[in-house]
Amino acid sequence: MADEEFEEKLDKKIKELFETYDSSGNGSLDYRELVRAMHGLILKIEPNLNDEQLDRVVSDTITLFDDNHDESIELDEFSKIVKFLVYEKGLDLKI
C-alpha cells in the first residue's frame, strides 16, 4: 500500500477511534475517556500493564501531547498519539 494511501486510511481510522472514545461528544477526550482509549490501544502493544501503570501512561500522554494544556485531548492531539504508537511502538490498527 502506498504511503499516501496508508496515511489517508490511518487518518480515517484515527477519526473513527476518536469519535468512539469521545463519549460526551464534546470534541475532546477528558481523562476518563483517554483512559478508555489508551486501554484499547496501549494494551495491544503492552498487554501486561496493570491499572497503575496504565494511569501513569495516560498522565504522561496528556503531559506530552496536550499542546494547548487544557488537560483534554482533541482530535489533532489524539492523531499525534496514535501515529506515535503506530510508527514508533508498532501498534497495528489492522488498516
Side-chain angles (χ1 to χ4, degrees):
M1 182 180 320
D3 289 341
E4 187 174 315
E5 181 183 351
F6 178 79
E7 280 292 319
E8 287 175 16
K9 288 183 177 189
L10 180 58
D11 288 340
K12 182 179 178 184
K13 181 70 169 181
I14 289 169
K15 186 172 188 213
E16 290 170 2
L17 287 169
F18 183 84
E19 290 170 353
T20 297
Y21 292 115
D22 182 17
S23 58
S24 64
N26 68 350
S28 66
L29 303 179
D30 62 23
Y31 187 85
R32 181 184 53 81
E33 293 166 329
L34 188 59
V35 166
R36 284 184 41 237
M38 295 303 287
H39 185 270
L41 297 171
I42 290 292
L43 291 181
K44 289 180 180 181
I45 54 177
E46 293 288 341
N48 297 322
L49 289 181
N50 62 36
D51 288 343
E52 183 178 320
Q53 292 168 318
L54 185 59
D55 282 344
R56 185 68 175 144
V57 168
V58 172
S59 293
D60 290 348
T61 298
I62 291 173
T63 300
L64 292 170
F65 291 97
D66 182 17
D67 295 335
N68 60 2
H69 308 291
D70 64 352
E71 296 186 15
S72 64
I73 298 294
E74 284 75 31
L75 177 58
D76 63 321
E77 296 164 334
F78 185 70
S79 180
K80 291 176 188 175
I81 294 167
V82 175
K83 287 181 178 182
F84 172 79
L85 294 174
V86 168
Y87 293 123
E88 302 296 327
K89 298 296 181 181
L91 176 65
D92 183 3
L93 293 176
K94 308 287 187 232
I95 295 175

